[in-house]
Amino acid sequence: MFWSKKPEPKPTIYAEETCSSCGERARRPFEERDHVYEHGGSCKKCNSSTMITAVYGEYPPEKT
Amino acid sequence: MTDFFSYLLQLGGLGESGEFDPSNPLMYIYIISLATIPLFMMYGQRMQGKIVLGEISKSLVKLKGMRDNARLATIEYVKISLPQSTDPAAKIDKFLEYFTIMPVDIDPSGLVRKLGHVMRTKDERMRQEVRKICPGVSDYEASKIENMLEAASALNMIYKVVRHFYLMGKRTTSVYVLVQLQMVMPILLEEADALKKAIGTFQKGQPIGDGIGPMVVGKMMLGREKKYAAKETVYAQGEHKGRTLYFLKAEGPAGTVGRPGEAIQRLAGDLGIKLDAIIMIDAALKLEGERTGDVAEGIGAAIGGIGVEKYQIEEVATDYDIPVYAVIVKQSILDAITVMRKEIADSFDKVTETVHAVIEDKTREGQSVMVIGVGNTMGVAQ
């Protein structure tokens, strides 16, 4: 219905990982126990270990 | 009666002949519309009161739902964290009713010290209660539960205060009480909604918007030895373009704001570290129309709360004649206590650049600067 309330946008939570040797940045969906500045996973490019450098929520772009 | 009608006709100028014409339907509409005036004069306020009461009642139902959901979410989380324990509902309900009595302010001398004492006692009591509710959990888990309980407690308080004024307005049929409540209701609902969302964020241990300060300083601390500064607060030493830097933040990734005021008193006072500048990085509430994640620079102690920490930092700065610079990241109350928005995380590089620019601009080589990351460090290590 045109008068019904628009559903509230929900953010998608990402964890951003940065490779400690090649500096490659990649993001993936957030998992519990992901903490910023703690060990992430391994780099897809050079297989070195990565560090989580940010955890953030991204909202869908607003329709104009 | 005819006199009355002729009087009406004179007032309204109805009827070309100037006489009452019963066949004209407009005449009756005119009479009815005039009759409603005394009706509204007598009962208008009561009718307005009923409408306002209805609107507040709807908002109150919403607030009750938020309060109950927050309570349930906290109980469920404690049950999941400690599957072997007894039902924590009664203990959590007791916790939600805790209150703090502020010290007397008719004699303002030494008030901040008393306030600090009361707040410290409150914090310690809260921590003890959390430990009683869930014995044996890690500090990290305990901090998550503590933050959830605080949000649930704030929601409970908002609900109870609104209910109080609603019932008082209803009992006294005072439209003035009700209208005042109706005016602040959108702001209260916005705050309650932020608290409701914050519970989910704390439950998952995600960094919140307020954590941008600790996030910037945490990066600066990486790979350096972290030392005890005050309860739940750590510091590290570094260097930038010939200046000695001291980084200070709450100890993450637990959800705590630490005690930066006490820490700076200890470092500058007890340990005798000579500081030439203090730079504080914090989240600040944006004004409507401002963009989330905008970075601004200024002067003064950038720290929220009841004022105790701010007072302690200002005392040290004044006693040792240390200029205090502030770098803030703008955000709304909702952004500050819910998961960090991308726009805020994206401001990271700009904040770091601004801090470095302030260091280079305001101090000379060989001088010392304290960089404080102010805010809740939930989900942010160092």
Side-chain angles (χ1 to χ4, degrees):
Chain A
M1 294 291 182
F2 67 89
W3 62 79
S4 61
K5 211 178 156 188
K6 267 201 285 181
E8 220 175 321
K10 281 192 175 169
T12 314
I13 318 296
Y14 294 104
E16 193 177 272
E17 292 184 12
T18 307
C19 176
S20 41
S21 59
C22 72
E24 174 78 359
R25 278 183 176 192
R27 72 176 190 180
R28 57 168 174 77
F30 170 83
E31 287 166 20
E32 257 182 69
R33 292 261 159 197
D34 276 346
H35 300 140
V36 180
Y37 307 132
E38 283 187 357
H39 177 71
S42 53
C43 177
K44 283 177 186 164
K45 206 172 162 188
C46 68
N47 217 24
S48 302
S49 65
T50 61
M51 180 192 278
I52 299 168
T53 46
V55 170
Y56 55 78
E58 191 173 31
Y59 284 84
E62 276 178 36
K63 283 175 192 166
T64 50
Chain B
M1 195 67 179
T2 13
D3 286 349
F4 176 65
F5 283 121
S6 60
Y7 172 68
L8 283 179
L9 289 171
Q10 276 172 15
L11 273 176
L14 270 178
E16 281 176 20
S17 60
E19 285 176 11
F20 173 61
D21 179 10
S23 63
N24 188 354
L26 282 174
M27 191 67 202
Y28 294 99
I29 294 169
Y30 190 61
I31 294 165
I32 292 164
S33 63
L34 279 176
T36 54
I37 294 171
L39 183 85
F40 278 116
M41 279 168 71
M42 284 186 286
Y43 298 106
Q45 215 176 58
R46 200 172 287 184
M47 284 156 83
Q48 196 190 353
K50 289 275 178 205
I51 293 165
V52 174
L53 212 57
E55 278 182 25
I56 297 170
S57 168
K58 275 187 218 161
S59 305
L60 196 63
V61 170
K62 263 190 212 168
L63 284 173
K64 189 176 186 298
M66 287 183 196
R67 192 269 310 249
D68 292 346
N69 288 342
R71 177 185 165 270
L72 278 178
T74 314
I75 292 171
E76 284 306 308
Y77 187 76
V78 173
K79 276 185 185 169
I80 292 165
S81 306
L82 286 166
Q84 309 300 322
S85 69
T86 51
D87 189 10
K91 284 178 186 168
I92 286 173
D93 286 340
K94 193 178 150 202
F95 188 97
L96 295 181
E97 294 297 326
Y98 273 147
F99 58 86
T100 307
I101 300 170
M102 289 296 144
V104 64
D105 57 1
I106 47 176
D107 178 18
S109 130
L111 183 63
V112 181
R113 208 168 51 85
K114 285 194 256 176
L115 203 57
H117 172 67
V118 170
M119 296 317 284
R120 262 198 309 278
T121 314
K122 180 200 155 203
D123 285 351
E124 276 154 25
R125 177 79 200 269
M126 269 180 72
R127 230 150 269 166
Q128 282 169 5
E129 287 303 317
V130 169
R131 288 286 175 197
K132 264 192 215 168
I133 294 169
C134 32
V137 291
S138 64
D139 286 350
Y140 171 68
E141 282 299 325
S143 80
K144 276 162 78 171
I145 295 166
E146 205 181 301
N147 278 290
M148 286 173 75
L149 278 167
E150 261 187 79
S153 179
L155 267 171
N156 185 40
M157 186 49 79
I158 292 176
Y159 168 70
K160 287 205 311 182
V161 171
V162 170
R163 187 183 59 182
H164 166 76
F165 284 108
Y166 167 78
L167 292 174
M168 198 170 83
K170 203 173 171 182
R171 184 168 51 83
T172 57
T173 57
S174 165
V175 76
Y176 302 106
V177 174
L178 293 169
V179 166
Q180 283 185 69
L181 188 58
Q182 189 196 23
M183 282 192 287
V184 294
M185 197 54 97
I187 300 162
L188 288 177
L189 281 174
E190 213 174 89
E191 270 185 38
D193 189 48
L195 287 165
K196 181 192 85 178
K197 287 176 180 163
I199 292 203
T201 308
F202 291 135
Q203 196 174 342
K204 291 176 193 131
Q206 294 161 341
I208 57 172
D210 187 41
I212 184 69
M215 195 165 134
V216 172
V217 174
K219 173 92 184 279
M220 294 171 175
M221 284 173 127
L222 279 178
R224 302 180 199 280
E225 189 197 350
K226 269 71 92 178
K227 295 175 193 164
Y228 171 89
K231 194 172 182 189
E232 296 173 346
T233 315
V234 287
Y235 81 101
Q237 198 176 329
E239 191 267 339
H240 176 77
K241 294 199 174 168
R243 282 91 164 161
T244 306
L245 302 184
Y246 295 94
F247 307 113
L248 183 79
K249 78 181 272 289
E251 190 171 13
T256 174
V257 291
R259 291 186 183 171
E262 255 180 58
I264 203 159
Q265 275 182 340
R266 182 171 170 264
L267 297 179
D270 304 346
L271 300 184
I273 295 173
K274 191 191 168 296
L275 296 171
D276 298 292
I278 297 170
I279 303 171
M280 301 182 75
I281 310 162
D282 194 13
L285 283 186
K286 72 180 177 90
L287 299 172
E288 287 296 330
E290 286 187 315
R291 274 187 312 179
T292 300
D294 273 358
V295 179
E297 195 193 317
I299 302 287
I303 187 164
I306 204 153
V308 176
E309 302 285 340
K310 192 173 185 177
Y311 174 85
Q312 288 169 330
I313 294 167
E314 285 171 351
E315 276 281 292
V316 171
T318 312
D319 287 350
Y320 297 96
D321 196 22
I322 311 166
V324 183
Y325 303 102
V327 178
I328 56 156
V329 180
K330 293 176 184 178
Q331 49 198 276
S332 68
I333 179 79
L334 177 69
D335 301 330
I337 60 171
T338 53
V339 63
M340 188 180 284
R341 283 180 82 118
K342 188 173 185 296
E343 294 88 333
I344 299 169
D346 286 346
S347 71
F348 181 94
D349 290 334
K350 199 174 174 197
V351 175
T352 311
E353 278 167 27
T354 311
V355 170
H356 285 154
V358 173
I359 294 169
E360 289 158 34
D361 199 32
K362 307 290 178 198
T363 59
R364 297 185 307 276
E365 280 187 31
Q367 290 193 318
S368 301
V369 183
M370 169 80 73
V371 184
I372 311 174
V374 180
N376 189 319
T377 191
M378 168 72 83
V380 181
Q382 55 277 319

